[in-house]
Amino acid sequence: MVQNTRTNLVRYQKVIIIMLFCLVSARLLAQTGSLEGFVLDKSSNVALIGATVSVDGTSQATISDVDGRYRLTNVKAGFHFLKVTYMGYIDSKIENVQIFANKTIQINAMLAESEIAIEEVTVSTKRRAGSEASMISAIKASQLVTSGISSSQIQKSQDKDASEVIRRVPGVTINDDRFVIVRGLNQRYNNVWLNNSSTPSSEADVRAFSFDVIPSGMIDNLTVYKSGAPELPADFSGGFINIVTKNIPDTSFIAIDYLTGYRGSTTFKDFKSFQGGKLDWLAIDDGTRALPTGFPSDWSNVESNAAQMNSLTKKFQNTYAISANKARPDQKIGITLAKRMKLGKVIIGNMTVLNYSNSNKCYSNNNNAFATYNTDYDTLTYKYKYVDRVYCNNISWSILHNWGFVFNDRNKIEFRNIFNQNGFTRTSVREGQFLENFRDERSFQERFMSRTTYSGQLGGEHSFRQGVTKLNWGLGYSLANRDEPDRKVMVSSKDENTGKYQFIINQGNPQPNFAGRFYQKTIETILSSSINFEHKFALNMIVPTLKAGYFGEFKNREFTARNIGYITGSQFSTYPDSILYLPVDKIFNQENLDYNSKISIAEQTNKSDSYSANNRLFAGYIALNIPLFYKFNIYGGIRAEHNDLNLSSFKQDQPDVPVKVNNKKLNLFPSANVSFNITRKTLLRLAYGRSVNRPEFREIAPYYFIDFERNASFRGNPSLKDADIQNIDLRFEHYPANGETFSFAFFYKKFVNPIEAVISNEGSGKSFTFANAAGAVNYGVELDIRKVLSNQGFLQNFSVVANGSLIKSLVMFEGDEKLKSHNRPLQGQSPYIANVGLFFNKANTGLTISALYNVIGKRIYAVGIVNQNNDSDIPDEYEMPRNIIDFTIVKKIGRLVEIKLGIKDLLNQPVEYRQIFSFTNKNGAAQERSGNTNYYHPGSVYSIGVSLKF
């Protein structure tokens, strides 16, 4: 009995223990949590759509959505392995992921592209930075306020270079066909990098990178950053532009493109040109225009030595003859060689692109200048009134040669090179009146200019611990060489007694702007280096990212100019004046050259006509990115820049007095970018940053130069100060569907000491210099829309891209400045900008049609002069709006051939610069009158092209 009782007790104990164990196990099994996060491209942070996320060893799995977001629920508490897969990317296995009961944790997966895997399959989902969808995804995923354009959209237009491509970006316009203006702020307030390295300025007179040196076919994508960040240079307020050229191709191929164009105002019409060199077709002077061998570096060594003067004068080539031919159609040819190969486990890619273009342009320009308005007779008072007939041949050829080496998913090295040779020959024939002296004039200018630009970068990207830590570095070298040899100017005036034109050549004292030859050369080089470090931390449910880096840049410029003029000898009065009436190609024949009795060379070069300058910049930054509660993202930090600018030259009016500029400063530039994800498709951004605008070399150089086309002089100002800018951005973004966007932005900028081009009172013509205003504000709104018209039916083939900006600025003056200034917009700022593109694309027929529209509001070209009497003001000079429409049809024929038809600048509206005079009439009523300072029609271009791809 006792034994049975004990046996039963043991059985009961076992049953109780089993029941307790089951209850505890059930309780433990009921303890589950949730897991969520994003699947992102490790190199770009772009969301990956359709990635598989699974808990290893279980059947629990899910797919990432259009934002790259995933969510797994009812995951057992404890430690797990998380597996993330996506075609074209290396699988990621995240170890020791701890799930807590009744809690949600966030784990973001960063996947690396699998170059080797892609090599072995026919179809891949590798992200293409050049597609419109990837560009939109990158903008959405960016921590900053950005805009951009992809190579896919570029291919739908006729845009031939980066200057035409970038004007399709919201808030961006182009000045003088090559200088970028962002949010109404002119080129000086923007910064341009090529492949993450700074670019040189190939212009002698302005601070700017010439966008026309980058052919559109070489661009993979172009991004405009509109808010500051610690890793970006502080020297921008309008926009920071990064152009990325094509590099590693998906496959090997050869492509040949050819295009010819007819310009309505030029092609097959009379076209005048002067004698050049044998290499002009390559935009290279072969030495034809060089100073004669043995020409002295110091003219004072030969001055007044008749024998030497005669010998030197006769060494100059008489290339003044102007010939007339028929203008040929525009030509453009491009060859692309793409190679993708595998050496062991290393993927090697090479992209080589060669482009050549030759185009002609002819137009008549009404070129005028005004004095103060004649209120007594209610009429314009002209200083001069000219009609310029301009014939210009433009040459451009370029080579892009890029290499990429992908060693594995963690290490990549790229070597990028782009070389561009760009130039023109221009013949200008001017007729009109110089009314201050009541003189009828006929003038000639023969001009050749070439620009050589090279930019090379060697860089590497490396990641460690599955992308937790990243390191990238870069070395850059850039060269800009602007050469303008032997620019010839000859001015003649009408003899009222004979009715003939007589060339103006002074006795003893040369005036090169009336009869002279000019030589200018600018060489600018840039050496740069950078290192950027990034590390992610896992802090419970927050994964912050620490960034730090360094950037160094050494920029050097050498500028030289020689001003050679013609004079008549001391005994010229005894020689018949008839040689001054000779045609321009006869007057400098050998028999008309003599130091004493006829014509000879003299020089009027001052020490101020040359300068040397350099700029050293060293920068470091630290930043932190903090994602909060799946909704907020805070990215902020600080950048320190030590800048040392130096320039050496001489005063223009006191040639022996040296000018030394040394501007050395250390500045701190804080910035913050906050984004809030309202929904999966909608977000709000708020950004703040401090920036700086430093004077450019030319703007502080005392060099004095007369521009024949503008009939105006330009002079630098060594007293210019840095401008300080505070920037605020607020932007709402909505992404309704793949490839579609809607954004609305507000921006505000406050300037202290903004730098502007202003009109100055010097001489009888127009004169320009640079000056600081006391302060200014600039604010506005931007709208950007990309929309497919319908998801089905015929309209699904149509899409529209529209963006526009409304901008207002106000320059503020204090104290005595109020007496000589007036409220006005910033120089170069446009009050409105609009871009609209309508696209038709039917993939199964290979047909694409696009119509593009662009317009800007009137903007100040140069600031006027305010006088004590308002009726005596010299008003601001405005560039007036012009509507531009481009039309393109592209048709694919089979797999190899593509035909492109296009019309560029269909409306051919005039390029117009205008001054608007305000005054009070005799009855006390306010009046306005206007006059054009420049007015011409550039001409529409009709083109046809064919592309072959093998």
Side-chain angles (χ1 to χ4, degrees):
M1 183 71 180
V2 174
Q3 183 66 34
N4 290 337
T5 301
R6 289 179 177 176
T7 300
N8 291 333
L9 183 60
V10 171
R11 289 176 179 172
Y12 293 148
Q13 288 176 340
K14 289 181 179 180
V15 170
I16 292 171
I17 291 172
I18 292 172
M19 290 176 64
L20 289 173
F21 177 79
C22 291
L23 288 171
V24 171
S25 298
R27 178 62 177 169
L28 289 173
L29 288 173
Q31 292 181 334
T32 62
S34 298
L35 181 67
E36 67 179 21
F38 293 90
V39 182
L40 306 173
D41 182 298
K42 186 172 70 172
S43 63
S44 66
N45 283 333
V46 172
L48 298 179
I49 304 169
T52 301
V53 183
S54 60
V55 179
D56 207 22
T58 73
S59 60
Q60 291 178 293
T62 188
I63 301 294
S64 60
D65 63 16
V66 293
D67 296 315
R69 187 194 299 271
Y70 74 91
R71 182 174 175 83
L72 287 166
T73 58
N74 298 321
V75 182
K76 294 179 182 179
F79 290 91
H80 297 275
F81 291 86
L82 196 65
K83 186 176 183 181
V84 186
T85 60
Y86 190 66
M87 176 170 275
Y89 286 74
I90 298 175
D91 295 349
S92 176
K93 198 169 186 180
I94 305 173
E95 302 178 356
N96 298 323
V97 177
Q98 186 175 7
I99 305 297
F100 299 93
N102 302 317
K103 290 185 178 181
T104 299
I105 68 167
Q106 183 181 30
I107 297 293
N108 293 330
M110 311 295 291
L111 300 188
E113 294 178 353
S114 177
E115 299 287 347
I116 298 174
I118 291 171
E119 187 76 7
E120 297 170 352
V121 298
T122 303
V123 181
S124 74
T125 57
K126 180 182 176 182
R127 180 185 61 85
R128 292 291 301 159
S131 70
E132 291 184 62
S134 64
M135 174 57 70
I136 292 172
S137 297
I139 291 172
K140 181 182 178 184
S142 174
Q143 297 158 341
L144 314 179
V145 177
T146 64
S147 299
I149 191 168
S150 65
S151 60
S152 176
Q153 187 175 342
I154 294 170
Q155 292 169 5
K156 298 176 183 178
S157 72
Q158 299 176 74
D159 298 339
K160 69 179 186 300
D161 53 49
S163 69
E164 297 182 351
V165 168
I166 197 171
R167 70 181 183 182
R168 312 296 179 190
V169 178
V172 177
T173 59
I174 286 292
N175 181 35
D176 198 19
D177 294 329
R178 62 190 188 275
F179 304 132
V180 69
I181 294 177
V182 182
R183 289 178 163 176
L185 299 175
N186 67 21
Q187 62 265 16
R188 66 162 308 98
Y189 291 106
N190 305 304
N191 203 329
V192 183
W193 279 19
L194 181 63
N195 298 318
N196 300 310
S197 289
S198 53
T199 55
S201 174
S202 57
E203 300 302 309
D205 299 321
V206 293
R207 177 191 186 273
F209 172 73
S210 294
F211 276 75
D212 60 342
V213 304
I214 309 294
S216 60
M218 294 183 176
I219 300 172
D220 192 49
N221 64 83
L222 185 153
T223 305
V224 180
Y225 297 88
K226 298 179 179 178
S227 65
E231 68 270 24
L232 300 182
D235 192 8
F236 84 91
S237 336
F240 170 73
I241 301 140
N242 188 34
I243 304 172
V244 178
T245 55
K246 295 179 178 178
N247 197 10
I248 302 176
D250 292 333
T251 59
S252 299
F253 66 88
I254 299 175
I256 301 174
D257 302 282
Y258 174 76
L259 181 143
T260 184
Y262 172 86
R263 192 181 299 270
S265 61
T266 304
T267 308
F268 302 131
K269 294 180 172 60
D270 287 341
F271 191 86
K272 295 184 178 181
S273 60
F274 59 93
Q275 180 183 340
K278 295 180 180 179
L279 297 180
D280 285 5
W281 66 280
L282 290 174
I284 298 173
D285 178 55
D286 62 357
T288 299
R289 303 173 180 86
L291 281 167
T293 303
F295 197 85
S297 58
D298 188 347
W299 182 253
S300 62
N301 294 332
V302 298
E303 197 169 16
S304 301
N305 186 319
Q308 284 187 283
M309 298 272 278
N310 282 333
S311 174
L312 291 171
T313 299
K314 292 181 179 182
K315 284 184 177 181
F316 281 87
Q317 295 192 46
N318 184 6
T319 55
Y320 282 88
I322 297 176
S323 59
N325 298 288
K326 298 297 182 182
R328 297 177 180 178
D330 295 351
Q331 310 286 326
K332 180 180 179 182
I333 188 168
I335 300 174
T336 301
L337 305 173
K339 183 67 175 177
R340 186 183 179 93
M341 60 195 115
K342 187 176 179 182
L343 184 62
K345 293 184 177 181
V346 180
I347 301 298
I348 302 175
N350 170 249
M351 181 73 76
T352 302
V353 183
L354 297 92
N355 281 288
Y356 177 84
S357 68
N358 187 327
S359 63
N360 296 304
K361 187 175 182 179
C362 176
Y363 58 91
S364 291
N365 178 30
N366 294 319
N367 189 349
N368 308 310
F370 305 102
T372 57
Y373 194 79
N374 189 328
T375 58
D376 292 334
Y377 294 95
D378 193 7
T379 184
L380 292 167
T381 303
Y382 286 85
K383 288 186 174 183
Y384 58 78
K385 190 176 184 179
Y386 298 134
V387 175
D388 296 346
R389 187 67 178 164
V390 181
Y391 307 86
C392 190
N393 173 239
N394 293 282
I395 302 291
S396 178
W397 59 277
S398 55
I399 301 173
L400 177 143
H401 190 65
N402 290 347
W403 288 89
F405 303 87
V406 180
F407 299 94
N408 48 47
D409 65 306
R410 301 178 303 279
N411 297 283
K412 178 170 68 173
I413 291 179
E414 295 179 320
F415 181 43
R416 299 176 186 258
N417 302 269
I418 184 168
F419 173 89
N420 180 277
Q421 185 72 28
N422 182 292
F424 62 77
T425 55
R426 181 178 296 163
T427 302
S428 301
V429 180
R430 171 177 293 166
E431 290 197 42
Q433 297 83 41
F434 186 75
L435 293 165
E436 289 192 332
N437 290 344
F438 301 101
R439 182 175 69 210
D440 287 345
E441 286 187 1
R442 181 179 293 162
S443 307
F444 306 89
Q445 178 183 247
E446 298 175 352
R447 185 181 180 193
F448 171 87
M449 191 273 290
S450 67
R451 288 181 287 146
T452 302
T453 305
Y454 168 77
S455 180
Q457 304 88 29
L458 176 65
E461 298 178 9
H462 312 278
S463 65
F464 312 92
R465 298 174 58 195
Q466 295 187 332
V468 172
T469 303
K470 295 181 181 180
L471 178 71
N472 69 70
W473 54 273
L475 298 172
Y477 172 78
S478 296
L479 165 71
N481 183 348
R482 186 181 189 272
D483 189 19
E484 187 173 353
D486 201 13
R487 180 171 65 90
K488 298 185 285 292
V489 174
M490 291 296 295
V491 178
S492 64
S493 65
K494 188 176 181 180
D495 187 328
E496 295 299 330
N497 296 322
T498 64
K500 297 180 180 180
Y501 282 87
Q502 177 183 17
F503 285 106
I504 302 173
I505 301 179
N506 287 352
Q507 187 179 80
N509 181 31
Q511 286 187 287
N513 56 310
F514 284 100
R517 309 174 84 138
F518 300 81
Y519 299 79
Q520 293 183 1
K521 192 176 186 65
T522 307
I523 299 178
E524 183 169 300
T525 58
I526 298 178
L527 289 171
S528 63
S529 61
S530 64
I531 298 175
N532 298 284
F533 171 82
E534 179 180 315
H535 182 73
K536 300 181 186 298
F537 297 89
L539 301 176
N540 295 326
M541 301 183 64
I542 300 176
V543 184
T545 303
L546 175 68
K547 293 183 179 182
Y550 149 87
F551 175 76
E553 177 187 274
F554 178 76
K555 182 188 297 185
N556 185 76
R557 173 182 284 195
E558 295 292 332
F559 176 83
T560 57
R562 302 287 296 269
N563 298 325
I564 311 297
Y566 285 100
I567 58 173
T568 57
S570 58
Q571 301 173 24
F572 183 76
S573 58
T574 63
Y575 189 85
D577 289 350
S578 59
I579 65 171
L580 297 183
Y581 293 95
L582 291 173
V584 69
D585 59 326
K586 303 293 185 183
I587 190 173
F588 299 114
N589 287 346
Q590 293 287 312
E591 64 269 18
N592 297 325
L593 304 178
D594 183 79
Y595 173 70
N596 291 315
S597 61
K598 299 180 184 178
I599 298 173
S600 68
I601 282 288
E603 185 168 6
Q604 199 185 50
T605 302
N606 292 325
K607 292 182 179 180
S608 62
D609 293 333
S610 299
Y611 62 86
S612 298
N614 63 72
N615 192 88
R616 294 178 176 86
L617 173 66
F618 298 98
Y621 72 89
I622 187 167
L624 189 64
N625 184 68
I626 306 174
L628 295 173
F629 314 117
Y630 321 118
K631 293 285 188 179
F632 283 98
N633 192 86
I634 301 174
Y635 179 56
I638 193 165
R639 181 182 183 90
E641 288 192 355
H642 182 270
N643 194 75
D644 185 5
L645 184 151
N646 298 275
L647 182 137
S648 298
S649 186
F650 293 85
K651 285 189 174 183
Q652 193 270 335
D653 52 351
Q654 296 176 279
D656 293 326
V657 178
V659 172
K660 298 287 185 182
V661 178
N662 178 244
N663 190 352
K664 184 185 297 186
K665 286 186 178 181
L666 173 64
N667 296 104
L668 299 178
F669 302 97
S671 63
N673 289 266
V674 180
S675 61
F676 172 63
N677 291 281
I678 302 171
T679 68
R680 290 188 310 166
K681 298 182 179 182
T682 306
L683 65 131
L684 189 67
R685 300 183 190 272
L686 177 64
Y688 163 79
R690 180 188 174 216
S691 59
V692 67
N693 184 232
R694 303 181 178 102
E696 177 59 20
F697 295 143
R698 173 63 183 101
E699 295 168 343
I700 59 174
Y703 173 55
Y704 177 84
F705 171 70
I706 297 177
D707 186 315
F708 180 87
E709 277 89 3
R710 298 291 297 172
N711 204 49
S713 63
F714 294 82
R715 185 199 306 272
N717 177 6
S719 301
L720 282 179
K721 296 179 286 187
D722 292 355
D724 184 84
I725 308 103
Q726 307 289 333
N727 308 273
I728 297 175
D729 284 88
L730 178 66
R731 187 159 86 171
F732 170 84
E733 300 176 10
H734 180 57
Y735 300 86
N738 189 28
E740 297 186 348
T741 65
F742 171 86
S743 69
F744 182 80
F746 168 80
F747 61 89
Y748 175 85
K749 301 175 184 296
K750 184 176 181 181
F751 296 77
V752 177
N753 299 322
I755 301 171
E756 299 183 300
V758 300
I759 299 174
S760 62
N761 267 324
E762 292 184 26
S764 56
K766 287 181 291 189
S767 297
F768 299 95
T769 187
F770 306 92
N772 292 102
V777 294
N778 174 266
Y779 56 92
V781 294
E782 293 176 342
L783 177 68
D784 184 22
I785 300 172
R786 298 168 188 253
K787 175 67 178 173
V788 177
L789 297 188
S790 177
N791 293 326
Q792 56 186 356
F794 180 70
L795 290 179
Q796 69 179 334
N797 300 312
F798 286 89
S799 61
V800 64
V801 174
N803 58 70
S805 304
L806 294 175
I807 307 166
K808 186 174 179 62
S809 64
L810 181 67
V811 178
M812 299 174 292
F813 299 94
E814 300 174 353
D816 294 338
E817 291 292 322
K818 287 185 178 181
L819 301 177
K820 55 183 179 180
S821 304
H822 56 85
N823 295 333
R824 56 170 175 79
L826 277 164
Q827 181 255 328
Q829 179 257 308
S830 301
Y832 63 85
I833 303 165
N835 289 290
V836 179
L838 179 64
F839 302 96
F840 172 84
N841 185 12
K842 197 167 184 179
N844 60 344
T845 63
L847 178 65
T848 301
I849 302 174
S850 64
L852 304 173
Y853 169 79
N854 170 264
V855 67
I856 65 169
K858 73 173 186 178
R859 57 190 177 193
I860 296 177
Y861 172 79
V863 177
I865 301 173
V866 176
N867 294 301
Q868 292 183 349
N869 181 355
N870 292 336
D871 291 347
S872 300
D873 288 352
I874 303 297
D876 303 327
E877 186 174 355
Y878 283 93
E879 180 185 358
M880 303 305 291
R882 63 186 304 263
N883 297 282
I884 301 173
I885 294 178
D886 299 338
F887 187 74
T888 308
I889 300 176
V890 180
K891 180 68 173 73
K892 289 186 177 180
I893 303 174
R895 296 186 303 106
L896 303 179
V897 182
E898 184 177 271
I899 304 295
K900 179 182 285 189
L901 303 173
I903 305 174
K904 186 176 177 182
D905 198 1
L906 176 64
L907 301 179
N908 190 27
Q909 291 191 339
V911 174
E912 183 179 2
Y913 292 81
R914 181 185 297 176
Q915 286 181 292
I916 302 173
F917 295 83
S918 300
F919 64 95
T920 304
N921 66 15
K922 296 177 181 179
N923 299 322
Q927 300 287 312
E928 280 192 355
R929 300 288 186 269
S930 64
N932 290 327
T933 56
N934 282 268
Y935 183 96
Y936 66 91
H937 291 269
S940 302
V941 181
Y942 305 83
S943 63
I944 181 171
V946 60
S947 299
L948 303 175
K949 187 174 182 180
F950 307 95

